[in-house]
Amino acid sequence: MEILLISIVAFIVAILTFFSGFGLGTILTPVMMIFFPVEVAIALTGVVHFSNNIFKLVLVGKNVNKEVLLRFGIPAVVFAFIGALLLVKIPNFEPLYSYQLWGKTFEVFPLKLFVAVLMMFFAVIDLIPYFSNLQFDKSKLPIGGALSGFFGGLTGAQGALRSAFLIRAGLTKEAFIGTTVVISSFVDFTRLSVYATRIMKLDLQENLPLLLCATLSAMTGAFIGNKLLKKVTLQFLQYSVAILLLVLSLALGLGWI
């Protein structure tokens, strides 16, 4: 049952998040947690997410904007490593508060709340017509890369912040998706290399059928998303990013993810 449900979710979410450049791992992880312990769910999601990114790299990697890749991607990878290292080394933060809902306890942590507010800020900018045509100067790209990489390594929310910056970098829709996929792949590899010591302690072989089904489902969704790319506009991408930012910022700020 869990294989079927997780595969369906991976397929649908891979289509929906193909255009935004983030969200697959964020949405898939809570679904995995329904059936597995937290550490196993995170490891399984990481494998599916990274494998899907490699597949998308084959599909759209050729559309990467090399200048943006260098200016944004290098700081993102460096600071993702720093953020992930801090996550492993520093003690857990105490939650600001906790509450009961649907028979479960949810905790809100200061760092995640800060990232949620930052994500919501970018989402509101994207949804207000006055700001819709504003773009970041390319000199600001290293700052965006450093911020998204650092908080991504520390909290796992790097995709949302990355897309929030890159959607305003003056890229075409093809270049936006291609560039986000390439940077995401590099950052994922960096994060997974740091988390590897934890992942290696988990026995994932018994879940190999689920991994294969979920990965193939996500790849199929990405393939369909790529086919639909010609039918969407850059404005559609911008609104997609904004809406997903709002949803994820609320979920992050409320302690649901």
Side-chain angles (χ1 to χ4, degrees):
M1 181 62 182
E2 63 265 25
I3 293 179
L4 178 61
L5 178 60
I6 290 172
S7 297
I8 292 174
V9 171
F11 171 72
I12 295 174
V13 174
I15 297 176
L16 297 176
T17 60
F18 180 85
F19 305 109
S20 67
F22 68 95
L24 175 61
T26 306
I27 298 173
L28 191 58
T29 300
V31 178
M32 289 280 196
M33 288 180 182
I34 297 174
F35 304 101
F36 302 99
V38 173
E39 65 275 9
V40 176
I42 292 174
L44 291 172
T45 303
V47 174
V48 174
H49 190 271
F50 182 65
S51 301
N52 190 54
N53 266 347
I54 297 301
F55 179 69
K56 289 197 293 184
L57 198 60
V58 176
L59 290 177
V60 298
K62 61 181 180 296
N63 298 323
V64 64
N65 183 296
K66 295 180 181 178
E67 181 182 4
V68 174
L69 176 64
L70 292 175
R71 286 175 173 265
F72 191 97
I74 293 177
V77 170
V78 172
F79 279 84
F81 177 80
I82 295 173
L85 199 60
L86 281 176
L87 178 64
V88 174
K89 298 294 183 181
I90 63 176
N92 293 328
F93 289 106
E94 292 294 323
L96 290 174
Y97 61 91
S98 61
Y99 61 96
Q100 297 280 338
L101 186 65
W102 304 313
K104 294 184 178 181
T105 301
F106 295 95
E107 297 179 327
V108 179
F109 292 87
L111 187 60
K112 287 191 174 183
L113 182 60
F114 174 78
V115 174
V117 172
L118 193 61
M119 287 164 55
M120 191 171 291
F121 168 75
F122 283 112
V124 171
I125 286 180
D126 279 340
L127 292 173
I128 297 177
Y130 176 77
F131 296 107
S132 61
N133 294 321
L134 290 179
Q135 295 183 352
F136 288 120
D137 185 88
K138 289 185 177 179
S139 63
K140 305 296 191 300
L141 288 174
I143 299 174
L147 285 174
S148 68
F150 178 75
F151 287 115
L154 197 57
T155 70
Q158 56 94 12
L161 291 176
R162 180 185 62 244
S163 292
F165 277 98
L166 292 184
I167 197 67
R168 296 185 169 278
L171 301 172
T172 64
K173 60 182 181 181
E174 293 84 3
F176 166 74
I177 294 175
T179 305
T180 56
V181 166
V182 173
I183 295 174
S184 177
S185 299
F186 287 152
V187 172
D188 267 359
F189 180 79
T190 302
R191 288 195 301 141
L192 288 175
S193 65
V194 177
Y195 302 154
T197 53
R198 291 184 177 182
I199 294 176
M200 291 298 290
K201 295 178 181 178
L202 302 174
D203 185 12
L204 301 181
Q205 290 184 350
E206 61 186 38
N207 296 308
L208 190 58
L210 182 143
L211 274 176
L212 290 174
C213 290
T215 300
L216 289 175
S217 297
M219 287 180 176
T220 304
F223 180 80
I224 293 175
N226 187 48
K227 291 296 182 182
L228 296 174
L229 181 58
K230 294 180 180 180
K231 299 181 180 181
V232 304
T233 64
L234 191 59
Q235 186 179 42
F236 172 83
L237 292 184
Q238 191 167 355
Y239 282 127
S240 297
V241 169
I243 291 171
L244 269 174
L245 280 174
L246 275 177
V247 172
L248 294 180
S249 64
L250 287 172
L252 194 65
L254 291 171
W256 296 353
I257 57 176

